[in-house]
Amino acid sequence: MKKVLFLLPLALLSCKKDPEVTVNQKKDSTVVSENPGPVEKSDSAAVRMKDSIINNAPKTKEVLRTGVMREVKEGQITRTIDAAQLPVRLGEEFTTDGQEFILKITGFSKSDIKAAISTKEKDFNIRFNQIRLPNGDYDGPFGREITYNVKGEGEVWLIIGKSNMASGKTKGSFTVAVE
């Protein structure tokens, strides 16, 4: 019995498999490297591959280009966001003359709102035309920047369009930043 207990560790050590070693000789040096077994893909690599496929899908690119919660009807572009997403920066584009952009902010409960329009277009005729307050009242017109005290809680609309008192291009890209 004692012999079996003595031979058992020796048998286990002799069964241990060492990694395969290859020796490559190049000019005046010797390189020794271990060749590990086949590399298995981890779950994170599979997830990255799926993400890459999803992010490059045509439908995903269309959603990223046009935005989520976006509706276009008769020259009026409407986007809806939740106030919990603030601060937010949205890109938009007027492609025809006389278009109007309405940004609806649901669940707004802050005491004031700050927003600004920026554009790379020269001579772009664009401004905040009106703001619709949670009680249904409208106020405006404003310029490209607005800071407004909002009384009450609810849905606030920022209405953007051309100024009838100014001239300039009415087509082009712009960005709206809201805090």
Side-chain angles (χ1 to χ4, degrees):
M1 183 71 170
K2 291 181 182 181
K3 291 180 184 178
V4 173
L5 291 175
F6 179 72
L7 293 176
L8 187 61
L10 290 175
L12 291 175
L13 289 175
S14 66
C15 292
K16 182 183 171 202
K17 185 177 180 181
D18 290 328
E20 185 180 318
V21 176
T22 60
V23 177
N24 296 329
Q25 291 192 356
K26 295 181 182 178
K27 295 185 183 179
D28 63 343
S29 64
T30 304
V31 177
V32 178
S33 64
E34 288 186 10
N35 289 336
V39 178
E40 295 179 23
K41 282 189 177 179
S42 67
D43 290 337
S44 63
V47 168
R48 281 193 303 261
M49 186 175 190
K50 286 179 186 176
D51 285 347
S52 176
I53 291 170
I54 291 169
N55 288 336
N56 292 318
K59 197 63 174 175
T60 303
K61 287 183 178 183
E62 176 68 17
V63 169
L64 291 173
R65 187 180 65 76
T66 60
V68 180
M69 301 295 290
R70 183 179 189 267
E71 182 181 330
V72 179
K73 189 185 284 185
E74 298 175 14
Q76 191 175 63
I77 303 167
T78 306
R79 271 190 159 173
T80 305
I81 64 168
D82 191 327
Q85 296 173 317
L86 295 178
V88 69
R89 190 174 180 92
L90 301 170
E92 198 53 69
E93 181 178 16
F94 287 158
T95 55
T96 61
D97 289 327
Q99 277 189 299
E100 185 177 62
F101 175 63
I102 300 175
L103 178 60
K104 296 180 179 181
I105 305 169
T106 59
F108 192 84
S109 60
K110 293 182 179 180
S111 61
D112 66 335
I113 188 168
K114 294 178 185 178
I117 302 169
S118 60
T119 181
K120 293 181 181 176
E121 306 286 330
K122 292 186 178 187
D123 194 31
F124 194 16
N125 181 359
I126 190 168
R127 70 172 182 185
F128 288 102
N129 284 337
Q130 290 185 312
I131 184 171
R132 182 185 177 271
L133 302 169
N135 65 3
D137 290 345
Y138 286 84
D139 195 3
F142 304 96
R144 287 194 180 186
E145 293 183 12
I146 181 175
T147 300
Y148 199 89
N149 275 343
V150 178
K151 294 179 182 158
E153 297 178 2
E155 190 171 84
V156 174
W157 295 6
L158 296 175
I159 303 169
I160 299 170
K162 74 174 191 168
S163 170
N164 292 330
M165 303 299 284
S167 62
K169 294 189 294 186
T170 57
K171 296 179 192 175
S173 300
F174 60 94
T175 303
V176 180
V178 183
E179 296 179 19

